[in-house]
């Protein structure tokens, strides 16, 4: 706020000062975000025909992302006494319960990912309701179709930030929302890593691992999709929800707007014909099914 410090806050009300500030913000955005295209997946899928044509078109750039089998990846799991054992990721997933998450620790002596199981909250049932929510029975108009809440993760996110995002995601799912997760390569790693490498080195960011941490009954509404245009290295997007919560929250009256509308048929048709990319541990986006 350089103008405010020089001219005083009232000066920003002047039309010329406002224009300068707007231009500055636009230029800054173009410098910091070159070529980036954001995508709100739930909105694109549930946007009605006509007004949603642009949103539907964005789905054409996506590809289904098939994760490596969890039995192929190994990590070290440390218990409360500090002793660790090397397990396959699929064995770790079987131990992971709703309300728990994999807390990342320093890597082991051989460079293997090292984790311990920690609690997101004291109890799953004790999660605080997310801010901005309304109680059952009231109607509300949402600005985006599909009643989706977005969460964004990257490969260098601090453990407390990761815990907070999982906790907030649980709150939204318990409140009957669809949760749309985005994972991308952190800016400091984009020169030498892509999404495949990030998924191999950070198994706690895998969609199937995060799903295990969510409340019981949470399902994949939409399996992982690769979006190449959002960040260097691309991003992974998927959607989770609990259909039982969806029904209980709304009762017989439902919600106004498009929140209860079915997916748009044009969007669903686009999703059905998207290619499939197979995840690998190499520095490549894998093999594409035709």
């Amino acid at each position: 706020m350089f103008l405010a410090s020089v001219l005083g806050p009232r000066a920003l009300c002047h039309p010329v000062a406002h224009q300068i500030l707007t231009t500055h913000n636009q230029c800054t955005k173009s410098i910091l975000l070159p070529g980036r295209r954001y995508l709100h997946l739930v909105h694109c899928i549930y946007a009605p025909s006509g007004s949603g044509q642009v949103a539907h078109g964005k789905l054409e750039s996506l590809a289904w992302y098939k994760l490596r089998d969890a039995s192929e990846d190994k990590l070290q799991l440390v218990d409360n006494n500090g002793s660790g054992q090397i397990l396959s990721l699929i064995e770790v997933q079987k131990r992971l319960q709703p309300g728990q998450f994999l807390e990342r620790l320093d890597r082991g002596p051989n460079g293997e990912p090292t984790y311990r199981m920690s609690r997101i909250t004291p109890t799953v049932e004790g999660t605080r309701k997310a801010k901005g929510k309304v109680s059952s029975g009231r109607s509300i108009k949402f600005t985006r179709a599909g009643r989706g809440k977005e969460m964004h993760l990257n490969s260098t996110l601090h453990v407390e930030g990761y815990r907070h995002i999982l906790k907030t995601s649980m709150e939204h799912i318990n409140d009957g929302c669809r949760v749309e997760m985005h994972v991308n390569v952190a800016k400091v790693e984009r020169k030498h890593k892509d999404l495949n490498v990030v998924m191999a080195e950070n198994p706690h960011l895998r969609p199937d691992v995060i799903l295990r941490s969510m409340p019981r009954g949470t399902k994949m509404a939409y399996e992982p999709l690769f979006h190449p245009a959002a960040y260097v290295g691309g991003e992974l997007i998927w959607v989770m929800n609990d259909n039982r919560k969806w029904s209980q929250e709304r009762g017989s009256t439902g919600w106004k707007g498009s929140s209860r509308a079915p997916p748009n048929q044009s969007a669903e048709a686009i999703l059905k014909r998207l290619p499939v990319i197979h995840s690998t541990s190499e520095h490549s986006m894998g093999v594409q099914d035709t």
Side-chain angles (χ1 to χ4, degrees):
M1 298 299 291
F2 174 76
L3 288 175
S5 63
V6 175
L7 304 177
R10 291 187 179 180
L12 296 183
C13 297
H14 192 279
V16 175
H18 178 75
Q19 181 63 38
I20 292 173
L21 185 60
T22 302
T23 303
H24 168 75
N25 289 340
Q26 291 174 345
C27 292
T28 302
K29 185 178 293 186
S30 66
I31 293 170
L32 296 178
L33 311 176
R36 185 181 299 182
R37 287 190 295 157
Y38 295 104
L39 187 142
H40 309 293
L41 182 60
V42 169
H43 175 76
C44 289
I45 294 172
Y46 285 85
S49 298
S51 61
Q53 290 305 311
V54 174
H56 299 158
K58 292 181 179 180
L59 298 174
E60 298 280 6
S61 65
L62 303 179
W64 296 106
Y65 187 90
K66 188 171 179 60
L67 291 163
R68 276 161 48 96
D69 193 290
S71 61
E72 299 180 24
D73 292 326
K74 304 286 185 180
L75 59 83
Q76 180 175 220
L77 188 65
V78 177
D79 60 23
N80 293 331
N81 297 321
S83 59
Q85 58 181 140
I86 303 298
L87 300 170
S88 70
L89 181 57
I90 196 165
E91 291 177 291
V92 174
Q93 286 181 345
K94 290 177 181 177
R95 301 186 184 189
L96 195 62
Q97 299 296 316
Q100 294 181 325
F101 76 106
L102 292 181
E103 179 182 350
R104 182 170 56 183
L105 306 174
D106 293 335
R107 289 187 173 273
N110 297 320
E112 66 274 7
T114 303
Y115 293 89
R116 68 173 167 227
M117 289 186 182
S118 298
R119 293 211 64 84
I120 299 172
T121 58
T123 62
V124 176
E125 294 76 18
T127 55
R128 176 184 55 79
K129 288 185 73 68
K131 293 181 178 179
K133 296 285 156 255
V134 295
S135 59
S136 178
R138 289 179 58 191
S139 297
I140 187 169
K141 182 178 180 180
F142 292 92
T143 56
R144 288 185 188 151
R147 188 169 160 78
K149 297 295 182 181
E150 293 182 19
M151 301 293 153
H152 294 258
L153 301 160
N154 66 45
S155 52
T156 60
L157 183 66
H158 189 272
V159 61
E160 287 305 318
Y162 179 68
R163 185 203 301 264
H164 174 74
I165 286 177
L166 294 184
K167 180 176 182 290
T168 305
S169 299
M170 290 172 58
E171 293 167 0
H172 288 312
I173 288 173
N174 280 332
D175 195 49
C177 292
R178 299 179 178 98
V179 171
E180 177 180 324
M181 303 294 295
H182 293 243
V183 174
N184 65 79
V185 184
K187 187 175 181 180
V188 296
E189 297 185 332
R190 289 175 192 166
K191 289 185 178 180
H192 56 280
K193 294 182 181 180
D194 69 5
L195 200 58
N196 280 327
V197 176
V198 165
M199 286 291 117
E201 294 182 351
N202 302 276
H204 65 287
L205 296 178
R206 285 176 53 120
D208 50 355
V209 172
I210 291 177
L211 182 64
R212 296 285 298 184
S213 298
M214 294 296 104
R216 296 187 190 279
T218 305
K219 305 291 184 183
M220 283 283 189
Y222 289 92
E223 297 289 335
L225 287 153
F226 176 67
H227 181 214
Y231 299 88
V232 176
E235 72 172 347
L236 199 62
I237 311 173
W238 71 95
V239 181
M240 305 177 291
N241 72 342
D242 184 342
N243 284 327
R244 300 172 307 167
K245 297 285 186 182
W246 182 267
S247 301
Q248 292 170 4
E249 286 291 326
R250 283 144 193 78
S252 60
T253 57
W255 298 81
K256 287 184 178 179
S258 56
S259 58
R260 279 183 65 87
N264 185 276
Q265 292 183 352
S266 298
E268 289 280 275
I270 293 172
L271 292 176
K272 287 180 180 178
R273 62 174 182 261
L274 291 178
V276 179
I277 291 177
H278 293 268
S279 172
T280 69
S281 59
E282 303 298 327
H283 189 76
S284 161
M285 282 319 301
V287 180
Q288 180 172 304
D289 286 349
T290 56

